Amino acid sequence: MKLGFFVPCYIDAIAPQAAISTFKLLQKLGLTPEFIESAACCGLPLKDMGYTHSACKVERSVASHLVGYDYIVMPSGICADQFRNHFDDIPQTSEIEKIRNSAVDLVTFLHDVIKVDSLPWAHFPHRVALHNGCHSLRYLNEARPSELMIPDFSKTERLLNLVKGIEVGYATRRDECCGFGGTYAIWDKSCSGQQGLDKVNDYANNGFKYVTSQDMSCLLHQSGVARKFGLDIKFYYIAEILNGDAI
């Protein structure tokens, strides 16, 4: 398997530990991920704002670095969603279709592709709140959205339950958006901030000291709100727990 490792721009700039833990975890699982050094942004911010012409340029640029991989793994649900479901401002050639089909976030890759069933090195003896981000929940189908009357499932929770000592739980309003929303957090910061405060208060009211997610973007937003309001909660990207890096 030729495995590409794509690090989104915001992960590289703000949360490199998420990428490092993901890369090391893939290596521990016997894989040889190839870091795609020249690629940076998937085009999602421009796409969100409706700047189609600029998004086209970004998509064309990043696509040139993603050719030839069986799978392209990334530590970001929102970016995986962008590639798989919204990467359409450039001509949809067979090459682009292959990139879109091979782009996956870490949870989908571990659960659906290589079907991980053991993480003997992972140990985290704590009660942890799991936040399934909106994109991962409703576009990547990594857990059951609460509004759908279908059998319950959660790929993220199943992976976390492979970790020794962990107890996975949820906020009372488990599927409620935390308010990150990309550019929405900039243009409507009052609403975004209140959503973030509601989310972290929900964790605190339920006694959680740790939170994890497959969407580091959500965790960055929530951790910023928690710090501002003095809440003693630690936020870890899921790979940090699965790789045994969380303390």
Side-chain angles (χ1 to χ4, degrees):
M1 179 191 298
K2 188 175 183 182
L3 186 63
F5 184 61
F6 174 79
V7 179
C9 48
Y10 79 96
I11 294 285
D12 181 55
I14 306 174
Q17 73 279 3
I20 293 169
S21 290
T22 302
F23 192 83
K24 289 181 176 178
L25 176 60
L26 293 172
Q27 290 181 317
K28 280 183 181 177
L29 292 167
L31 300 165
T32 309
E34 180 180 314
F35 176 51
I36 307 171
E37 188 169 2
S38 300
C41 182
C42 63
L44 176 60
L46 296 165
K47 185 88 169 184
D48 273 356
M49 292 186 287
Y51 298 155
T52 303
H53 184 67
S54 297
C56 178
K57 290 182 178 179
V58 173
E59 289 182 9
R60 194 182 304 277
S61 175
V62 72
S64 67
H65 302 291
L66 305 180
V67 177
Y69 294 103
D70 297 310
Y71 286 97
I72 304 161
V73 177
M74 58 203 72
S76 173
I78 59 170
C79 294
D81 170 38
Q82 165 68 8
F83 279 118
R84 295 189 68 82
N85 298 306
H86 311 289
F87 200 73
D88 52 14
D89 284 324
I90 54 178
Q92 298 297 290
T93 63
S94 59
E95 197 171 70
I96 296 302
E97 288 292 337
K98 187 177 188 305
I99 290 172
R100 293 181 66 173
N101 290 331
S102 63
V104 290
D105 85 320
L106 178 66
V107 167
T108 294
F109 183 73
L110 297 181
H111 188 278
D112 295 353
V113 180
I114 63 173
K115 304 183 189 304
V116 169
D117 58 8
S118 176
L119 298 168
W121 53 79
H123 180 234
F124 196 67
H126 302 287
R127 184 167 172 261
V128 182
L130 170 57
H131 171 74
N132 284 305
C134 299
H135 289 252
S136 300
L137 192 65
R138 296 182 174 87
Y139 281 107
L140 302 183
N141 302 310
E142 292 182 346
R144 179 184 72 86
S146 56
E147 72 271 11
L148 296 184
M149 303 302 291
I150 60 175
D152 195 26
F153 72 96
S154 175
K155 299 174 185 179
T156 40
E157 183 176 342
R158 286 185 63 187
L159 289 171
L160 286 167
N161 282 331
L162 297 176
V163 177
K164 295 184 185 72
I166 199 168
E167 179 186 345
V168 180
Y170 294 90
T172 303
R173 301 174 68 89
R174 60 192 287 175
D175 289 359
E176 190 170 86
C177 177
C178 70
F180 168 67
T183 54
Y184 161 68
I186 300 172
W187 303 119
D188 198 354
K189 58 185 179 182
S190 296
C191 187
S192 170
Q194 184 61 55
Q195 286 180 278
L197 182 57
D198 289 346
K199 178 63 75 170
V200 296
N201 276 334
D202 197 340
Y203 298 140
N205 291 337
N206 282 281
F208 287 107
K209 296 293 185 180
Y210 300 93
V211 179
T212 191
S213 177
Q214 72 277 70
D215 275 304
M216 191 66 211
S217 53
C218 297
L219 295 181
L220 288 170
H221 175 63
Q222 293 175 41
S223 64
V225 174
R227 280 197 308 273
K228 180 175 182 177
F229 288 92
L231 296 176
D232 183 21
I233 303 175
K234 290 185 177 181
F235 297 81
Y236 290 112
Y237 177 61
I238 190 170
E240 295 180 83
I241 294 178
L242 300 182
N243 193 52
D245 297 326
I247 57 174

